[in-house]
C-alpha cells in the first residue's frame, strides 16, 4: 500500500527514498525494529537519537552494506532492498561513514577518483580495445575530482596523501568522494563529529549548496544546532524504533525524546 503510494506520486516533495517495516536483528538484539519513513525529494531530513538507537544500522540497511531481516526499501519507486551496495550507488544513493577511512597513502585526488562510477577503464579489456576512451575518461575523472575537492575547500591538498588530513578535513574528503558518483540522495553519518567550529561552518555551507543543486540528504547528527539550521523535519529513533518526527525545535522539547536521551547513553 505504502509502496504503491510512493510510486504514484512524482514531483517536488514526493518520496525519493522510502523504508517500509525495515528490520534488522543481530542475534537476539533488534537494532532496527520495523521502521517506516520516507525522505522527500529535495529535503534535508534529520535523524537523531541516543547512541545505540539504530541510526547507523538504518543507514547500513538503506545503503545495502547490511542484509535486512525484513521490510522493503524503495529508491524512486524501485525496490532496492535486495540489491548489493554497488548497485544502489549506481542508482544514485550515496553514503558517508561515521568514521571515514580514506586510503591513507593515496593522494586526496586518487581517493576521490576511486569513487567514480562505471568507467571504461574499470573493464580490463577496454584498456586494449578502446584505449582512447579510457584516457578521455581518466582526464574527465581527474577534472571532476579536482572540482569536487575545490567545492569542499581541499583542492590545495589535492596531491597530498590522505593521512595528513585532520578529522574534520576527512569528513570533507568523504563528501567529495560521495559526490563523485553523482548521487541524488546522500546519507550523512555524523558529519560534524570531531570537527572544529570553523570547519563545521564549511561543512554546513557545503551541504546547503549541494542541496541547492537538487541533492536530497538524510543527516544523522548529534549537533542540535546543525540539525536545526539544516533540517525542517527530523526523525527520532530510540531502541531501534521510530519514536516521533517533527520540526527540530519541537522534537527536542518532546518529553518522549528527552526521556529517551536521559535513559540512553548520552554523548552530546
Ligand atoms: N554488526 C553488529 N553486530 C551486532 N550488534 C550490532 C552491530 N551493529 C550494531 N549493533 C548494535 O545495534 C544497536 C544499534 O547500533 P547503531 O546502529 O550503531 O546505533 P547508533 O548509530 O544509533 O548509535 C547497538 O546496540 C549496537 O551495539
Ligand atoms: Mg551511529
Amino acid at each position: 500500500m505504502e509502496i504503491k503510494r510512493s510510486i504514484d506520486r512524482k514531483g517536488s516533495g514526493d518520496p525519493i527514498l522510502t523504508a517500509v517495516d525495515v528490520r534488522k536483528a543481530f542475534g537476539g538484539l533488534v537494532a532496527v525494529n520495523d521502521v517506516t519513513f520516507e525522505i522527500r525529494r529535495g529535503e534535508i531530513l534529520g535523524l537523531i537519537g541516543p547512541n545505540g538507537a539504530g541510526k547507523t544500522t538504518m543507514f547500513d540497511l538503506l545503503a545495502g552494506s547490511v542484509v535486512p531481516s525484513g521490510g522493503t526499501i524503495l529508491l524512486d519507486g524501485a525496490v532496492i532492498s535486495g540489491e548489493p551496495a554497488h548497485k544502489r550507488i549506481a542508482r544514485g544513493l550515496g553514503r558517508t561513514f561515521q568514521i571515514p577511512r580514506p586510503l591513507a597513502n593515496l593522494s586526496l585526488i586518487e581517493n576521490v577518483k576511486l569513487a567514480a562510477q562505471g568507467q571504461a577503464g574499470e573493464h580490463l579489456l577496454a584498456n586494449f580495445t578502446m584505449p582512447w576512451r579510457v584516457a578521455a575518461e581518466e582526464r574527465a575523472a581527474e577534472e571532476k575530482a579536482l572540482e569536487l575537492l575545490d567545492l569542499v575547500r581541499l583542492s590545495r591538498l589535492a596531491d597530498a596523501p590522505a593521512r595528513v588530513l585532520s578529522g574534520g578535513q576527512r569528513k570533507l574528503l568523504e563528501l567529495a568522494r560521495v559526490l563523485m558518483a553523482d548521487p541524488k540522495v546522500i546519507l550523512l553519518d555524523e558529519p560534524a563529529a570531531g570537527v572544529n567550529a570553523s570547519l563545521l561552518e564549511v561543512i554546513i555551507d557545503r551541504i546547503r549548496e549541494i542541496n541547492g543543486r537538487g541533492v536530497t540528504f538524510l543527516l544523522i547528527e548529534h549537533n542540535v544546532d546543525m540539525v536545526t539550521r539544516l533540517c525542517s523535519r527530523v526523525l527520532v529513533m530510540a531502541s531501534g524504533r521510530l519514536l516521533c518526527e517533527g520540526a527540530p525545535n519541537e522534537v527536542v522539547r518532546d518529553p518522549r525524546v528527552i526521556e529517551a536521551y536521559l535513559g540512553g547513553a548520552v554523548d552530546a
Side-chain angles (χ1 to χ4, degrees):
M1 185 183 65
E2 270 131 327
I3 295 171
K4 186 161 183 317
R5 193 158 51 88
S6 77
I7 295 168
D8 287 348
R9 272 194 278 152
K10 281 262 169 193
S12 174
D14 67 330
I16 188 165
L17 188 66
T18 309
V20 184
D21 292 335
V22 171
R23 184 178 185 85
K24 179 64 191 179
F26 294 110
L29 177 93
V30 184
V32 171
N33 199 342
D34 297 343
V35 170
T36 297
F37 67 90
E38 54 187 39
I39 310 174
R40 299 172 193 152
R41 194 179 305 276
E43 78 174 327
I44 304 176
L45 177 64
L47 176 57
I48 66 168
N51 277 337
K55 306 180 298 295
T56 295
T57 305
M58 190 68 232
F59 264 30
D60 290 337
L61 291 163
L62 294 173
S65 48
V66 152
V67 179
S69 313
T72 310
I73 297 160
L74 298 104
L75 179 64
D76 254 339
V79 175
I80 60 164
S81 22
E83 291 184 349
H86 68 89
K87 274 208 169 166
R88 300 188 202 192
I89 293 170
R91 281 186 186 271
L93 184 58
R95 71 88 59 93
T96 67
F97 289 90
Q98 191 169 345
I99 301 161
R101 292 195 174 82
L103 294 166
N105 292 323
L106 288 191
S107 68
L108 269 55
I109 192 147
E110 290 296 336
N111 267 282
V112 175
K113 272 164 60 185
L114 278 175
Q117 279 292 301
Q119 284 188 267
E122 284 168 11
H123 306 286
L124 194 57
L125 206 57
N127 287 299
F128 298 102
T129 57
M130 304 182 286
W132 64 91
R133 196 177 143 196
V134 173
E137 281 187 357
E138 171 67 20
R139 271 196 307 277
E142 180 101 11
E143 228 165 79
K144 183 174 172 187
L146 256 178
E147 273 169 29
L148 291 173
L149 283 173
D150 201 38
L151 177 72
V152 299
R153 305 287 186 261
L154 286 174
S155 52
R156 77 202 143 80
L157 293 169
D159 296 318
R163 65 175 179 288
V164 306
L165 298 184
S166 70
Q169 288 173 323
R170 277 171 202 226
K171 301 268 182 184
L172 284 163
L173 176 64
E174 185 79 340
L175 197 53
R177 188 185 61 73
V178 161
L179 288 168
M180 192 69 188
D182 294 320
K184 43 189 176 186
V185 182
I186 300 180
L187 313 174
L188 290 176
D189 200 347
E190 300 196 25
V195 173
N196 71 43
S198 67
L199 216 44
L200 178 60
E201 289 306 314
V202 178
I203 291 177
I204 290 175
D205 211 49
R206 297 304 88 181
I207 293 172
R208 274 213 188 102
E209 177 172 347
I210 296 159
N211 178 244
R213 296 180 186 193
V215 178
T216 304
F217 283 91
L218 179 61
L219 169 70
I220 295 181
E221 190 44 68
H222 285 300
N223 185 321
V224 173
D225 175 55
M226 182 179 187
V227 171
T228 309
R229 285 166 63 190
L230 285 174
C231 307
S232 50
R233 197 164 72 94
V234 179
L235 307 173
V236 185
M237 277 186 80
S239 308
R241 289 186 186 276
L242 207 59
L243 195 61
C244 63
E245 77 167 73
N249 54 357
E250 284 167 21
V251 297
V252 295
R253 282 196 231 108
D254 188 314
R256 291 169 298 173
V257 176
I258 294 166
E259 196 193 316
Y261 272 92
L262 293 176
V266 184
D267 77 338

